[in-house]
Amino acid sequence: MTARTGPRPARSRAKEPKMLSKLLRPDIETLLASRELGAIKEVLSEWTPADIAELLADLPEHERAVIFRLLPRDLAADVFEYMGLDLQVSLLKGMGNEESAAILNEMSPDDRTALLEDLPGSAARQLIALLSPEERKTAVALLGYPEDSVGRLMTPDFVDLRPGWSMSEVLEHIRRFGKDMETLNVLYVVDDKGRLIDDIRIRDVLLAPPETRVSDLMDENFVALHVADDQESAVEAFKKYDRVALPVVDASGSLIGIVTVDDVFDVAEEEATEDIHKFAAVEALDEPYSSIPLFSMVRKRAFWLTILFVSQALTAIAMGFFEGQLSKAVILSIFIPLVISSGGNSGSQAATLVIRALAVGDVALSDWWFIMRREVVSGLMLGGALGAIGFLQVLALSRFIVELQAHVVLIGLTVAFSLVLIVSWGTLSGSMLPILLKRLGADPATSSAPLVATMVDVTGLVIYFSVAILLLTGTLL
């Protein structure tokens, strides 16, 4: 993954596949038309929160509010968490302060943080003011952590244990306090000062005899996230250790929260989306494509398009430098698109492979020499193959273009050798540019395919005409 440098995209909360609501939506619409609200409430009680959220997203705003008010408070809060930001804001605007407060207080702290941090400051403050004193304290504490830190992802709802407790005491503790916890798959052992000393799985608790102590199950081998770590570190930790939840500790080692895998999936999706945008030479979008204002999207696309357009002026300069050779052998211009596009394509391929390898941890900066050797050999092999095909193309075209026939072999060799050099250079530069950018502390995804292609276009022209001068001087030139 690459470090985010721009604003945080709105977090997607679609956590389940779109199935049930699509099948049963006609029934709901029929009941709505006849205003059979009791029947609707009974039907929706059998739906999952994700399916209800999907249904509400597809309904007109006035009907959406009617159905949402039919839901019991607990279910309404769960449904609200699965909605996108725009839909959440729309519903909050249509509800009174009392209704909004009920929903916000019932929300999971991590999902509530995701909502509040996506809102303008004034709107977020208004919603925080609606919270109960305890929930307000939690919300302010979570929002106080740095943006894109693990602290913004975590929830303080977890079950902690003491080493001396028996399994009977543990189960009684879970029955008493576990109802509103984020997850019960993993339980966390803390000392008298609240410092994390181990984690144990609920499976081990359920299978252990009642008299077994928590300390008997401990191996003091656990993984924890630090509250100030970048969210990318959480993604990597979940990938490495294959967990559904990880504890979060502060500088003193005290357990202050947990991060669950569903929130990490959201971060991973945001990171992948941002990298894809950058690699297409687009600034990362702050909002989903369907809702971002047109002007904002044009502005983010125009920046890189302008840079690439200005960079292409170097191509014109290069062609102007070889104007004399072009005037003597206009036939050479036929093969310019063929030659330089091959270099740009090979460079884009190499850049894509290396950027992805860096993102998933397949290679590191220290592997630059291995990457360079591998790409030089790849470039020569690919260039040799394309060079042979290019030579055959020149021979084939000579049957239709009279100007080629007098020097067909020399022109064919010019194209062939140029392709070998240009493809090799494109592959080498495309693979090394992400390494260089990461070494300088920049995002490797910035070395987008269009940028690499533009850079190789310019150098490709120089290589092509240099080879032409070397092989054709005294004959065609």
Side-chain angles (χ1 to χ4, degrees), residues 56-114:
L56 294 177
D58 293 336
L59 291 177
E61 186 172 348
H62 64 283
E63 293 181 347
R64 181 187 304 154
V66 169
I67 289 185
F68 190 75
R69 286 189 170 93
L70 293 176
L71 303 175
R73 178 178 297 181
D74 291 349
L75 178 58
D78 290 339
V79 170
F80 193 79
E81 292 175 2
Y82 280 89
M83 296 176 179
L85 176 65
D86 290 342
L87 184 53
Q88 288 180 330
V89 172
S90 174
L91 280 173
L92 287 173
K93 287 180 178 178
M95 292 190 291
N97 286 347
E98 186 175 343
E99 290 177 299
S100 298
I103 295 298
L104 294 170
N105 281 309
E106 288 289 334
M107 289 182 71
S108 300
D110 52 342
D111 288 314
R112 186 173 58 216
T113 300

Side-chain angles (χ1 to χ4, degrees), residues 238-249:
F238 273 87
K239 286 168 55 180
K240 181 177 180 179
Y241 298 105
D242 195 23
R243 300 294 182 90
V244 296
L246 281 174
V248 181
V249 298

Side-chain angles (χ1 to χ4, degrees), residues 4-10 147-148 274 283-287 300:
R4 282 199 296 271
T5 55
R8 176 186 179 279
E147 187 177 2
D148 298 329
E274 184 173 318
E283 283 189 60
L285 303 183
D286 307 339
E287 304 173 50
K300 289 180 176 294

Side-chain angles (χ1 to χ4, degrees), residues 10 40-41 48 106 209 224 264 270 274 277 296 302 316 331 334 344 455 464 466:
I40 293 175
K41 184 176 182 179
T48 66
E106 288 289 334
V264 171
E270 292 165 13
E274 184 173 318
H277 288 165
S296 296
I331 193 65
I334 294 177
M455 182 180 70
Y464 177 51
S466 297

